[in-house]
Amino acid sequence: MYHIILITILAFILRLIALLKTGELWNDELFSWYFASQKSVFDTVLKSVNEDIHMPLYFAILHFWIKLFSDSANTMRALSLILSIGLIPLSYFVSNKLFNKQTAIFASLFLSLNTFCIYYSLEVRFYCLSLILSLFCAYFFERQKWFYFVLCIALLFYTFSITPLLLLSYFVIAFIYLIYKKENIKDFLLAHCFLALITLPAIIWTIKNIVEMHTSLTFFPEDTFIFSSNDVLDVFENFFSFDNFRITKGLFALREFNLLNPIYLFFTFIPILIGCIGLIKGMISKNKTFNLLFYPVALFFIALLILSIFKLAVFQTRYLCVIFPSIVICFCFGLTQFKNKIISIILFILMILLSSFGLIFQKKTIYNIHRTSMNDFRNYLNNVVQLKNDDLILAPLVGNQLTYYIDKGNLIPFSADGAFVLKDKKSRIFYFGDDAKKLNRYNSMDFIKNNVINDIPIKTYEYNLKREYIDNLKENQRIVYIAFLTFLIQSPKEKNITYENYSENNRVGILLYKALRDSLLILGKYMTLENSYTSPEGYSIYVFRK
């Protein structure tokens, strides 16, 4: 028992050190705060369902967490940290129950040290909750306790939108196994009928979401998270070593695959190789428990990969967190299958030590991540821009989320990213008018192409912005316009956008650019530009006065 106590204490210390150096909330975390900070939990659920692509359970839990404590960055992150700490003894318990004590020590120690796990233990997102629930699912699946399995997978269903594919993988493997072994399939089918009943709202929402995504202005797999073979390398990098491209952008990330680089070879490739050896040894062992734990997640991995290649799903390492605990337990079990136990221990220690020493050579790690100091941005608005209570604020990109750092003024509720990338129908109608219902990703670019090239604002957006806000301003009242990305407000000529180089491959960028540029032109047409600023954080701020 003392093993897991010491490992859990180690995990807590490492996460606490990282937490104290993490800095401000970033965009995705601000989305979580935005949904969770609604007046009631019902508002939180409705807001997330109507505007986001992910399920609302985590946002609802975070809503109550904020009510009990506060919405400060580290207080909200503490929820994920607690869940992450809980994962360590849970992984020990599951590994010990399913396999043996050595596997339990290996798995819990690896999860306590792994940078992928530590990083997401500090994010105000649903990934740690997904890690916990997915491990419960794996355990009850192997034990064939179908009632508990469907309860856990249902909770995961209401947490993470990737769950239907994981459920399908579990169902296929279980069905094949039960038929092959000629075991009782009745309880299995009854449990899944119950699952269909309790997840019916989520199923309806998922189908609706898929239809909306395929007919919306943009589609994540084709326009935002475009699949690359490097994404597969990223998964191995995150799962088996402590090198993480997305987090650290370090010296030897796997996107710079180079076996001739000794730093990469020793500190990234060898840990990955040891992890893969563990999985292979597990498969060779023909252990029933290993098979029931590994093959559902392997099927999920392959299915998601194929869907992503055909631009039907998003293949991102963080979206595979639902299989991460099972993969770790499986390769740790595989490492214990050497007849000579000393070899098992040496390989595991080598894997841990090389990954840990590899952090020394990285320019950025989870322990020194530099994030923009948004509190400085808040001070900049208050002291330099001198934001006033009666100011209107127009921030078309992440404006709703940016209000976390804005103390004064009233936000104009138009969200370009919500209208073009997510599901904010009000913003889409505010921008496109009646044409919003007819536009989709196949005809929207033709609709605005001439307006982008000729630098002409969308007429409906101009009309609505003027009628609802500019015309109702009092004399000398201001609109403070905040552009998230400075380069997006340049003219087409400055950005060298012409008919010849205009490309649909940059659909999201073109749409966001168009909304930001239109906002600047419309405000400049009907109001007087009083001043402009560029904050140290890279925000362009324009102050217009009536």
Side-chain angles (χ1 to χ4, degrees):
M1 180 60 71
Y2 73 90
H3 297 99
I4 189 56
I5 294 174
L6 292 176
I7 292 171
T8 304
I9 292 172
L10 173 64
F12 175 73
I13 292 171
L14 292 176
R15 282 152 178 76
L16 186 61
I17 293 171
L19 175 66
L20 296 176
K21 296 186 177 183
T22 298
E24 305 298 333
L25 301 173
W26 77 290
N27 190 28
D28 279 11
E29 292 178 295
L30 288 172
F31 268 103
S32 296
W33 166 81
Y34 169 63
F35 294 131
S37 62
Q38 303 302 310
K39 291 182 179 180
S40 72
V41 69
F42 301 104
D43 292 332
T44 289
V45 171
L46 290 175
K47 201 78 172 173
S48 61
V49 166
N50 290 329
E51 295 185 19
D52 200 23
I53 61 171
H54 294 299
M55 296 291 181
L57 179 59
Y58 170 78
F59 304 128
I61 295 172
L62 183 61
H63 169 85
F64 290 114
W65 183 267
I66 290 173
K67 292 284 187 183
L68 285 172
F69 302 104
S70 77
D71 66 352
S72 69
N74 282 349
T75 300
M76 290 192 290
R77 286 180 177 138
L79 174 59
S80 295
L81 187 145
I82 291 170
L83 290 169
S84 175
I85 294 298
L87 179 67
I88 308 305
L90 178 62
S91 65
Y92 182 92
F93 168 79
V94 170
S95 304
N96 196 27
K97 277 283 185 180
L98 297 184
F99 296 111
N100 52 58
K101 187 175 181 179
Q102 187 179 8
T103 301
I105 294 173
F106 281 6
S108 56
L109 182 58
F110 185 85
L111 287 171
S112 71
L113 297 172
N114 179 262
T115 53
F116 171 74
C117 193
I118 294 175
Y119 180 81
Y120 286 106
S121 72
L122 308 176
E123 271 216 350
V124 188
R125 297 295 281 170
F126 41 76
Y127 301 116
C128 276
L129 179 59
S130 299
L131 287 169
I132 291 279
L133 291 174
S134 64
L135 186 51
F136 273 118
C137 289
Y139 174 73
F140 290 124
F141 179 84
E142 194 284 331
R143 301 279 98 167
Q144 297 183 38
K145 295 183 178 180
W146 302 122
F147 178 75
Y148 295 109
F149 169 75
V150 299
L151 284 180
C152 292
I153 203 81
L155 290 173
L156 190 58
F157 209 131
Y158 282 106
T159 301
F160 201 177
S161 57
I162 201 72
T163 305
L165 185 61
L166 179 66
L167 172 60
L168 181 62
S169 302
Y170 272 122
F171 185 89
V172 169
I173 296 299
F175 192 81
I176 293 173
Y177 174 81
L178 293 173
I179 293 296
Y180 177 74
K181 292 291 185 178
K182 297 181 180 178
E183 295 187 12
N184 180 20
I185 202 171
K186 182 180 177 181
D187 291 343
F188 169 76
L189 293 177
L190 285 175
H192 280 75
C193 288
F194 175 67
L195 175 64
L197 182 64
I198 61 177
T199 59
L200 185 60
I203 293 170
I204 294 172
W205 182 89
T206 299
I207 294 171
K208 181 174 178 288
N209 201 31
I210 292 172
V211 172
E212 285 182 351
M213 284 195 298
H214 279 278
T215 58
S216 65
L217 296 175
T218 59
F219 184 45
F220 270 100
E222 291 191 45
D223 303 310
T224 306
F225 297 109
I226 302 171
F227 175 76
S228 165
S229 57
N230 288 323
D231 294 330
V232 180
L233 296 176
D234 268 352
V235 174
F236 285 90
E237 175 188 35
N238 280 269
F239 280 17
F240 301 125
S241 83
F242 298 168
D243 182 20
N244 185 296
F245 176 82
R246 182 180 176 277
I247 299 169
T248 63
K249 296 180 174 62
L251 182 64
F252 54 97
L254 265 180
R255 289 182 186 272
E256 300 170 6
F257 188 88
N258 184 5
L259 289 177
L260 299 178
N261 183 338
I263 294 177
Y264 166 78
L265 176 64
F266 281 102
F267 300 125
T268 301
F269 181 75
I270 290 179
I272 292 172
L273 183 62
I274 293 172
C276 291
I277 289 172
L279 290 179
I280 293 170
K281 286 289 290 182
M283 287 186 279
I284 293 173
S285 71
K286 296 182 180 180
N287 182 284
K288 185 196 93 168
T289 298
F290 176 91
N291 292 341
L292 288 175
L293 204 64
F294 176 71
Y295 286 108
V297 298
L299 180 60
F300 170 86
F301 181 92
I302 295 169
L304 187 63
L305 180 61
I306 292 172
L307 289 173
S308 301
I309 291 172
F310 288 98
K311 299 180 179 180
L312 296 172
V314 174
F315 192 91
Q316 292 281 303
T317 306
R318 62 184 185 273
Y319 288 0
L320 277 83
C321 68
V322 292
I323 68 171
F324 179 58
S326 296
I327 292 292
V328 169
I329 292 173
C330 284
F331 85 70
C332 286
F333 165 74
L335 291 178
T336 67
Q337 294 308 291
F338 287 93
K339 291 182 179 179
N340 189 334
K341 296 303 178 183
I342 296 177
I343 295 177
S344 300
I345 296 171
I346 289 174
L347 284 176
F348 182 75
I349 292 175
L350 185 64
M351 184 181 192
I352 292 293
L353 288 180
L354 288 177
S355 291
S356 299
F357 280 120
L359 294 174
I360 298 171
F361 296 92
Q362 294 187 37
K363 297 175 183 177
K364 294 181 182 179
T365 72
I366 55 171
Y367 301 109
N368 65 358
I369 299 171
H370 173 72
R371 289 184 176 175
T372 300
S373 179
M374 293 301 294
N375 280 321
D376 291 341
F377 175 67
R378 174 189 281 133
N379 294 332
Y380 191 87
L381 286 176
N382 291 333
N383 300 327
V384 179
V385 181
Q386 295 183 343
L387 203 62
K388 301 176 182 178
N389 288 327
D390 66 343
D391 285 339
L392 293 184
I393 299 168
L394 179 61
L397 198 54
V398 299
N400 289 325
Q401 295 72 49
L402 206 59
T403 56
Y404 182 82
Y405 293 105
I406 298 176
D407 299 324
K408 301 176 182 178
N410 299 293
L411 183 73
I412 295 175
F414 167 67
S415 169
D417 44 328
F420 305 148
V421 182
L422 297 172
K423 303 189 302 179
D424 188 346
K425 293 180 180 178
K426 289 183 179 179
S427 290
R428 195 176 302 176
I429 292 172
F430 186 80
Y431 190 76
F432 288 112
D434 292 336
D435 290 316
K437 297 178 181 179
K438 297 180 288 185
L439 291 173
N440 53 51
R441 71 181 314 277
Y442 303 105
N443 60 28
S444 61
M445 300 307 282
D446 291 333
F447 177 83
I448 68 169
K449 183 173 182 179
N450 288 330
N451 292 330
V452 172
I453 305 300
N454 297 326
D455 212 12
I456 300 172
I458 298 295
K459 291 181 180 179
T460 308
Y461 181 48
E462 180 176 351
Y463 174 78
N464 286 332
L465 191 59
K466 179 178 181 297
R467 179 178 60 88
E468 294 187 26
Y469 298 100
I470 297 174
D471 288 349
N472 292 320
L473 290 173
K474 298 177 182 177
E475 188 175 353
N476 288 323
Q477 194 174 355
R478 307 188 307 177
I479 291 182
V480 178
Y481 172 52
I482 302 174
F484 182 62
L485 299 173
T486 303
F487 76 93
L488 284 175
I489 59 172
Q490 296 173 326
S491 70
K493 186 175 182 181
E494 290 173 306
K495 287 179 64 64
N496 191 31
I497 297 177
T498 66
Y499 279 108
E500 287 72 27
N501 66 18
Y502 186 90
S503 171
E504 288 196 28
N505 292 329
N506 194 23
R507 184 184 306 271
V508 173
I510 289 292
L511 286 165
L512 294 177
Y513 158 77
K514 178 61 180 162
L516 292 175
R517 179 67 181 168
D518 281 359
S519 302
L520 186 65
L521 293 177
I522 294 167
L523 293 176
K525 181 177 179 180
Y526 297 105
M527 300 181 70
T528 301
L529 178 62
E530 183 181 81
N531 219 328
S532 64
Y533 309 88
T534 300
S535 74
E537 297 77 30
Y539 286 87
S540 290
I541 305 168
Y542 296 81
V543 179
F544 292 90
R545 188 180 295 276
K546 186 169 181 180

